[in-house]
Amino acid sequence: MLAKRFTFAALGLTTLLSLSGCNTMTEAWDNPGSVVPDFLKPYRADVHQGNLITSEMIMQLEKGMTKPQVQFLLGIPLLRDQFHPTRWDYVYYLLRGNDDRQLRKLTVYFDDEGRVDHWISDPMPDEEQADQMILGTTNSFEPRAPKVTPSVVNQN
């Protein structure tokens, strides 16, 4: 009688472990990175691609600026479409080593005379936030109101 109970208990435990093993194997098959401990994973550096645009740069962008002025301010655009010569696209892509991804876009539209007509932008970090993201001290940024420096008035 005791041997039967022991056999049934062992059979039940074996079945339970087998079924839980299937779940673990399925999880490991679908996401092999979850099974490997962090200290055994190789180092993956952050990948920065495109144009790093800050909110201060966008604040300096003005309607009526020429293409050379925009290029001096923002840099060479990542995309200059031959079929849309009045549109410049600035794209910034950040892939962190932990697979966090960020994508920010700025599109500048020009009129027929080659002057800025309007632009569309995602929220951009300020200079300090951008530096911290590059250094890796912060993972993302919270859009905040840009800092306005008071202008000096000449009093005579």
Side-chain angles (χ1 to χ4, degrees), residues 79-125:
L79 298 171
R80 272 192 204 167
D81 190 0
Q82 173 174 1
F83 298 107
H84 301 98
T86 60
R87 173 182 168 167
W88 285 3
D89 291 300
Y90 292 88
V91 181
Y92 180 72
Y93 177 74
L94 170 62
L95 173 63
R96 293 257 177 227
N98 60 2
D99 282 339
D100 286 339
R101 291 179 169 88
Q102 294 181 21
L103 179 66
R104 293 189 294 273
K105 297 178 272 186
L106 165 67
T107 304
V108 180
Y109 294 93
F110 297 93
D111 59 14
D112 293 334
E113 297 173 3
R115 297 195 173 266
V116 173
D117 184 47
H118 66 282
W119 60 90
I120 300 171
S121 173
D122 291 341
M124 299 290 179

Side-chain angles (χ1 to χ4, degrees), residues 70-83:
V70 173
Q71 186 170 333
F72 180 77
L73 177 64
L74 303 175
I76 298 172
L78 188 66
L79 298 171
R80 272 192 204 167
D81 190 0
Q82 173 174 1
F83 298 107

Side-chain angles (χ1 to χ4, degrees), residues 1-33:
M1 182 80 159
L2 187 59
K4 261 188 179 177
R5 284 188 181 172
F6 181 72
T7 305
F8 281 125
L11 183 62
L13 185 61
T14 304
T15 304
L16 184 65
L17 288 174
S18 297
L19 291 175
S20 68
C22 291
N23 186 29
T24 305
M25 288 306 296
T26 302
E27 185 178 316
W29 185 263
D30 291 340
N31 188 7

